Amino acid sequence: MNKIKSFDDYLKKGIAKKCKPDQVRAKNIVEEAERDLVFFKQIKQKIPLDDANANNFITQAYNIIIEFIRARMLIDGYKASGPAAHEAEVAYMPKRF
């Protein structure tokens, strides 16, 4: 397993870029993440976690977390794109959270 690089490394490589803060887009992403979180909690109450569905729960939780990180990045004036964008977003977490 590779160690995640620092967010600054992703900035240097151009995977993450400085951009104009986008409060409107960030708000839309947060609203979507909040809807996803409500749905996730509803599913979690109705379907017990087991070996057969654990990956689905983890995937859904990961997607919600990434949406909140993307929103925070947009508020702070950053965006990530390309093949390593997810890695850049994860690397941003310790910077702001």
Side-chain angles (χ1 to χ4, degrees), residues 57-67 86-87 89-90:
F57 277 90
I58 291 167
T59 299
Q60 186 66 24
Y62 172 82
N63 288 338
I64 292 166
I65 292 166
I66 286 295
E67 286 176 329
H86 279 260
E87 292 175 22
E89 292 162 345
V90 171

Side-chain angles (χ1 to χ4, degrees):
M1 180 179 222
N2 294 334
K3 181 181 174 193
I4 293 185
K5 300 172 184 113
S6 75
F7 184 70
D8 289 335
D9 290 336
Y10 293 100
L11 283 170
K12 289 174 189 168
K13 289 182 179 181
I15 295 164
K17 296 178 183 174
K18 191 79 176 139
C19 65
K20 182 180 174 188
D22 192 340
Q23 303 289 334
V24 173
R25 187 164 173 225
K27 182 178 181 248
N28 289 338
I29 292 171
V30 167
E31 288 171 354
E32 182 68 28
E34 288 171 345
R35 284 190 296 272
D36 290 345
L37 183 56
V38 168
F39 179 71
F40 178 76
K41 288 177 180 179
Q42 290 171 343
I43 294 298
K44 196 175 90 172
Q45 286 177 344
K46 294 180 178 162
I47 300 173
L49 178 64
D50 60 30
D51 288 343
N53 63 22
N55 283 341
N56 297 89
F57 277 90
I58 291 167
T59 299
Q60 186 66 24
Y62 172 82
N63 288 338
I64 292 166
I65 292 166
I66 286 295
E67 286 176 329
F68 283 119
I69 293 169
R70 285 183 186 141
R72 181 77 247 182
M73 287 177 71
L74 284 168
I75 289 167
D76 293 343
Y78 293 100
K79 65 180 177 179
S81 62
H86 279 260
E87 292 175 22
E89 292 162 345
V90 171
Y92 190 74
M93 262 187 1
K95 187 172 180 74
R96 286 298 298 168
F97 294 94

